[in-house]
Amino acid sequence: MTKRRVFMSVLGSTAYRECTYVSSRSGAKTYYRTKFIQVATLSLIARDWQSNDCVYIFLTRGEYGSEQRNWIDNGHKDKETQKPVMAEGLKSELENLQLSCQIKSIYLENGDTEEQIWTNFQRLYNCLQEGDEVYFDITHGFRSLPMLVLALNNYSKFLKNTQVLSITYGNYEARNQNDEAPIVDLTSVSELQTWTVAASMFITSGNTEMISQLLGTGNLNSLNNFVDEIATCRGLSIIDGETAQNAYKELDNLNYQNRIFSELIDRVKQKVACYTNNEVLNGFRAVQFCIDHRLFQQGYTLLQEFITTYILLDCGYDDWKDETLRNAVSGAMNINKRENFRLTRIPEYKSENEDDEDFDKRMKDVLKKREIESKLADKLFSRPYKKKLSDKVFKNLSQGARNDINHAGIRNSPKSTSYLKDRLTGYFNATRTIFNLSI
């Protein structure tokens, strides 16, 4: 279904004077001589509009309202004679354009009170339909109109999936010696508002959907992937750091001439600027990201796994992905005394489907595993941070909070949401202090 195009403009009651309005919208300058900015703007944008498209002109009633003075013909009076001034109103001039779209007039209140302002907002909003492409002219009308338009932009975008394609203003006061007045394009103000919301969504919640929509498919693949890696706890990719670094490059390559837009992008870039190549500290940076963006379950999982990884690297084990080593660290960190560390149990009997050769091989594998576990335990228990890290972080993290959150709190005496949120921050800060991490 073709999207409906909609033009919205408030008509004032002033006795407007004719001038030549000039637009640079299409690249080359276009000129249209009229006293109504609405006519000049529509002559530029609406020549190919169809019967489904619509022009809404908002009027005020009464002797001094815009309907009487500027919508119908001969609405103004000569100051001296008090006789009507013969001149076409906006309604007639729009009909002269012979546009194929619908033209509708809608009444507004004077906007003198807060209640009237909200009434006007509702009437503006009621004109819009799902998926409309909207063109605003904010030249005339009440002082509250520009604010209403900006508010309506976000409100209708959320509730009716509308899109603002243009916000313009006819600057009659800026006429040159040729009586030419520019049509000023203010659409970038709306874009800035949208970008501010999108950047805020990412910075506060880690949500990249709105930024991706603004930039188009493919422009922020790495940023999307970076967030997904944290949301799905992809530890190897987080440590590798390549996705985060690529996300920074994608953002850095965005070309915005407007410095204000660039500052927003810079705030987003700060979220990925700290990630380096193949470093375990990336994991702790990801935990901070989880805390900042309320990804508490992921934060617990990542914190425990990256503590384990850090310990293995500190103990001189490059193969920190090895399951035996990781299980040994977890076992050692949950006890206080070296003598209580349990090695893998030695098999006493062969299984029914096992011959002597297979049993001997299994026995050798177990003995080798016990040797690895024992050496790792010796190293870990000699580390000066071992006891403090176990007591202040690891035991509570692995046996309490992480288990509770990963099992959805379906247990006796489940933790509260505030407990889980506060403890993650506390465990993380304690870990940073104990390891003396600078992330």
Side-chain angles (χ1 to χ4, degrees):
M1 182 178 178
T2 303
K3 289 184 178 180
R4 193 177 72 138
R5 291 169 290 190
V6 172
F7 176 79
M8 307 180 81
S9 177
V10 174
L11 179 62
S13 58
T14 301
Y16 301 121
R17 294 178 56 189
E18 190 177 83
C19 72
T20 301
Y21 284 104
V22 183
S23 172
S24 302
R25 178 184 177 86
S26 59
K29 288 186 177 181
T30 57
Y31 303 81
Y32 200 96
R33 191 160 185 83
T34 177
K35 65 179 178 179
F36 294 114
I37 181 61
Q38 295 88 349
V39 175
T41 305
L42 287 167
S43 71
L44 179 67
I45 66 172
R47 291 293 187 185
D48 64 341
W49 286 19
Q50 304 301 315
S51 59
N52 184 53
D53 303 319
C54 194
V55 170
Y56 290 102
I57 305 297
F58 297 93
L59 312 174
T60 50
R61 293 185 175 97
E63 181 182 357
Y64 300 104
S66 59
E67 179 186 35
Q68 175 64 37
R69 297 223 166 175
N70 280 326
W71 181 242
I72 63 176
D73 296 342
N74 313 322
H76 285 277
K77 294 179 180 180
D78 185 275
K79 290 183 180 180
E80 295 181 0
T81 66
Q82 292 299 302
K83 292 182 179 180
V85 177
M86 297 296 104
E88 287 187 334
L90 177 57
K91 183 175 184 293
S92 295
E93 287 211 20
L94 290 177
E95 290 172 352
N96 293 338
L97 284 178
Q98 297 183 334
L99 301 175
S100 298
C101 59
Q102 304 171 59
I103 298 176
K104 297 182 179 181
S105 58
I106 306 292
Y107 292 111
L108 294 181
E109 303 301 321
N110 288 328
D112 298 327
T113 65
E114 182 179 355
E115 181 180 359
Q116 289 183 356
I117 290 173
W118 281 115
T119 297
N120 289 338
F121 180 87
Q122 190 66 50
R123 289 178 185 172
L124 289 167
Y125 175 71
N126 289 345
C127 291
L128 296 173
Q129 298 177 10
E130 180 73 22
D132 279 350
E133 295 178 342
V134 188
Y135 298 75
F136 284 112
D137 163 59
I138 61 170
T139 307
H140 306 305
F142 322 117
R143 293 173 182 173
S144 59
L145 178 64
M147 184 174 292
L148 284 183
V149 167
L150 290 176
L152 181 65
N153 174 23
N154 277 344
Y155 189 73
S156 63
K157 183 184 300 181
F158 177 71
L159 292 177
K160 293 186 177 180
N161 195 32
T162 60
Q163 181 181 6
V164 174
L165 297 189
S166 175
I167 301 176
T168 53
Y169 171 81
N171 193 353
Y172 177 81
E173 290 75 15
R175 301 183 314 283
N176 60 19
Q177 65 273 19
N178 296 322
D179 201 31
E180 296 172 346
I183 299 177
V184 181
D185 190 344
L186 300 175
T187 313
S188 59
V189 176
S190 172
E191 293 175 355
L192 176 61
Q193 188 181 38
T194 303
W195 262 102
T196 302
V197 173
S200 177
M201 283 180 63
F202 174 71
I203 291 168
T204 59
S205 68
N207 189 321
T208 61
E209 182 178 354
M210 193 170 179
I211 288 183
S212 297
Q213 289 175 352
L214 289 173
L215 293 173
T217 304
N219 287 311
L220 283 183
N221 283 336
S222 292
L223 185 63
N224 293 331
N225 292 340
F226 164 76
V227 174
D228 288 345
E229 285 175 359
I230 293 178
T232 56
C233 297
R234 299 299 87 196
L236 299 182
S237 298
I238 292 170
I239 287 177
D240 178 74
E242 181 179 1
T243 305
Q245 291 175 315
N246 287 339
Y248 184 91
K249 292 175 184 176
E250 286 177 349
L251 292 164
D252 201 43
N253 288 334
L254 296 178
N255 186 21
Y256 276 95
Q257 301 299 324
N258 190 318
R259 180 178 60 84
I260 297 175
F261 282 84
S262 298
E263 289 180 0
L264 280 175
I265 295 298
D266 287 343
R267 287 291 302 276
V268 177
K269 285 163 59 177
Q270 290 174 14
K271 287 292 183 177
V272 291
C274 58
Y275 290 81
T276 53
N277 185 45
N278 196 28
E279 184 179 26
V280 69
L281 291 182
N282 289 340
F284 295 106
R285 292 164 184 143
V287 176
Q288 182 66 66
F289 185 95
C290 291
I291 293 172
D292 293 341
H293 300 94
R294 306 180 66 83
L295 300 172
F296 302 121
Q297 184 171 16
Q298 292 90 335
Y300 276 107
T301 299
L302 293 176
L303 179 58
Q304 182 173 346
E305 296 303 324
F306 289 126
I307 288 174
T308 300
T309 303
Y310 187 92
I311 289 172
L312 285 171
L313 287 170
D314 184 59
C315 290
Y317 292 92
D318 293 331
D319 191 13
W320 43 266
K321 297 185 289 295
D322 183 83
E323 187 176 353
T324 296
L325 294 174
R326 300 189 73 84
N327 289 338
V329 169
S330 182
M333 290 300 296
N334 279 302
I335 59 175
N336 285 333
K337 296 182 178 180
R338 170 66 178 86
E339 56 266 28
N340 292 336
F341 181 76
R342 295 182 180 180
L343 301 174
T344 299
R345 188 172 64 86
I346 296 176
E348 299 178 7
Y349 307 102
K350 291 188 296 183
S351 65
E352 294 182 0
N353 300 323
E354 192 175 30
D355 57 25
D356 290 341
E357 184 176 346
D358 289 337
F359 178 74
D360 290 342
K361 182 179 183 305
R362 183 158 65 94
M363 180 66 75
K364 290 179 181 179
D365 290 341
V366 169
L367 293 175
K368 182 178 179 181
K369 188 174 183 179
R370 286 167 63 91
E371 181 182 2
I372 292 172
E373 292 169 340
S374 181
K375 288 182 178 179
L376 174 56
D378 289 340
K379 290 183 178 182
L380 180 50
F381 275 92
S382 70
R383 289 298 187 267
Y385 55 74
K386 161 62 177 70
K387 186 177 187 308
K388 184 181 290 187
L389 186 64
S390 287
D391 292 343
K392 289 185 174 295
V393 179
F394 206 92
K395 293 178 185 177
N396 296 322
L397 178 63
S398 62
Q399 299 172 10
R402 178 176 173 176
N403 283 346
D404 186 280
I405 199 169
N406 283 346
H407 291 285
I410 302 177
R411 49 176 37 198
N412 293 326
S413 302
K415 309 298 184 185
S416 67
T417 54
S418 60
Y419 175 98
L420 293 169
K421 180 180 70 172
D422 295 341
R423 287 301 190 279
L424 176 59
T425 302
Y427 296 151
F428 178 64
N429 289 336
T431 301
R432 291 183 61 179
T433 300
I434 293 168
F435 281 153
N436 193 25
L437 299 178
S438 177
I439 61 172

